[in-house]
Amino acid sequence: VISASTRVAGIIGDPVRHSLSPVLHNAAYRELGLDWVYLAFEVSGGDGPGALAAMRLLGIAGLSVTMPHKNAVVAACDVLTPRAARLQSVNTVTRLGDGRLEGDSTDGEGFLRAVREAGCDPDGLDALVLGAGGAARAVVLALADCGARVRVSARRLPASTATAGLAKAVPVPWDERDDAARSAGLVVNATPIGMAVEGSVTGETPVAPSSWHADHVAVDLVYHPIETMFLRDARSHGAATVNGLGMLVHQAGLQVERWTGVGAPIAVMRAAVNATLASPS
Ligand code: NAP
């Protein structure tokens, strides 16, 4: 029952009505028996800092941050975790006991948890990250920090170079990505290529099917569809595959833990999001 003492958390973004975060977080609160509620707030570009001022005023306990605010809210936080400071990107804002707002980025750690859950330890692996946007930057930093040798390939070489520069990774021209994929152990799709557009699956993939072999681990950050062409090609060549739901669930789980101080019920959160994705509406 929602009462006057219910704690409030939520997500700010635009668009945000399609977000799966309310499903993930509210499933966790229910399972843990916490008097918490998680809502979606549609906040237009430019209003991210204002939303954080409102968070301060209203005593909102935690906010997830998504497009287009991840960079804009950095300066509105009172304190940043080292990884958020290195990325200059925040996806998690925590209202500390003294009222200060802490900015963190859980995407990279969420990615690592998903990969490790699938039995893959990136330490010492050759990794290729496709794309150089916000998700790619978090993944490159996380992989490099845990001992992987990282290469980055995006369609704009300057973007690859900038993202690689975060972690002494090596940029690779986009038209050399298939060869780079062939020689890597771990290949990550951090572009939206293969994502369903208005509900229709495109069947596109960022690497040629002939790049795959049985020793690969393929990770797609895209989770709609759950099995993209990128993952299907990899699987049909015997590679291990990790879909985008793992990272989605784990980055939210890290937020639950940070805000409530309780371990996140990952299996319950995953089941809730799977049920939502499987439902027709
Ligand atoms: P972003 O900041 O917009 O970056 C997208 C990257 O992909 C950029 O490097 C972009 O290149 C490149 N790209 C886009 N379309 C391309 C195309 N047709 N051909 C080649 N490259 C293309 O987006 P993001 O936030 O990093 O997200 C990337 C993907 O990861 C999205 O599908 C998102 O849904 C997914 N994601 C999943 C999770 C999860 O928890 N599973 C978390 C975060 C993101 P340009 O800069 O040249 O456009």
Side-chain angles (χ1 to χ4, degrees), residues 12-273:
I12 59 167
D14 185 18
V16 80
R17 293 295 160 219
H18 67 288
S19 172
L20 293 167
S21 295
V23 170
L24 285 163
H25 283 260
N26 287 313
Y29 303 157
R30 260 194 310 277
E31 176 68 15
L32 296 170
L34 296 174
D35 184 15
W36 282 60
V37 66
Y38 185 102
L39 304 168
F41 300 108
E42 196 169 297
V43 174
S44 307
D47 287 339
L52 262 63
M55 175 187 190
R56 232 182 258 280
L57 207 66
L58 298 173
I60 291 173
L63 282 180
S64 310
V65 179
T66 188
M67 276 201 341
H69 304 300
K70 284 187 173 187
N71 301 115
V73 302
V74 166
C77 293
D78 301 307
V79 49
L80 295 175
T81 62
R83 57 194 179 192
R86 282 167 78 192
L87 288 168
Q88 285 296 297
S89 173
V90 161
N91 80 335
T92 308
V93 184
T94 304
R95 196 172 188 278
L96 302 176
D98 58 9
R100 287 180 310 152
L101 302 184
E102 175 203 73
D104 190 13
S105 175
T106 61
D107 280 339
E109 183 59 26
F111 167 84
L112 288 179
R113 288 193 178 188
V115 168
R116 289 191 175 123
E117 186 180 60
C120 170
D121 178 2
D123 188 3
L125 279 186
D126 283 304
L128 175 69
V129 177
L130 300 161
R137 289 167 61 83
V139 166
V140 165
L141 193 61
L143 282 172
D145 279 356
C146 70
R149 287 179 297 274
V150 185
R151 285 176 291 170
V152 185
S153 187
R155 59 184 172 183
R156 292 180 300 113
L157 191 59
S160 312
T161 306
T163 294
L166 268 175
K168 298 200 175 80
V170 177
V172 173
W174 186 239
D175 57 9
E176 293 172 22
R177 66 193 185 281
D178 290 338
D179 284 340
R182 219 166 273 126
S183 62
L186 176 68
V187 184
V188 183
N189 177 30
T191 76
I193 298 172
M195 192 162 77
V197 180
E198 286 168 7
S200 315
V201 174
T202 67
E204 290 172 5
T205 169
V207 292
S210 58
S211 311
W212 296 112
H213 51 70
D215 296 332
H216 269 129
V217 178
V219 187
D220 206 332
L221 305 196
V222 173
Y223 50 82
H224 183 50
I226 287 178
E227 187 178 60
T228 56
M229 191 57 75
F230 175 85
L231 293 184
R232 185 179 302 189
D233 287 342
R235 183 169 57 84
S236 70
H237 286 79
T241 61
V242 181
N243 67 40
L245 280 185
M247 175 171 168
L248 182 76
V249 172
H250 281 290
Q251 59 80 28
L254 286 156
Q255 296 179 335
V256 169
E257 289 171 16
R258 182 71 187 98
W259 297 340
T260 71
V262 185
I266 292 295
V268 168
M269 294 167 72
R270 193 189 306 271
V273 82

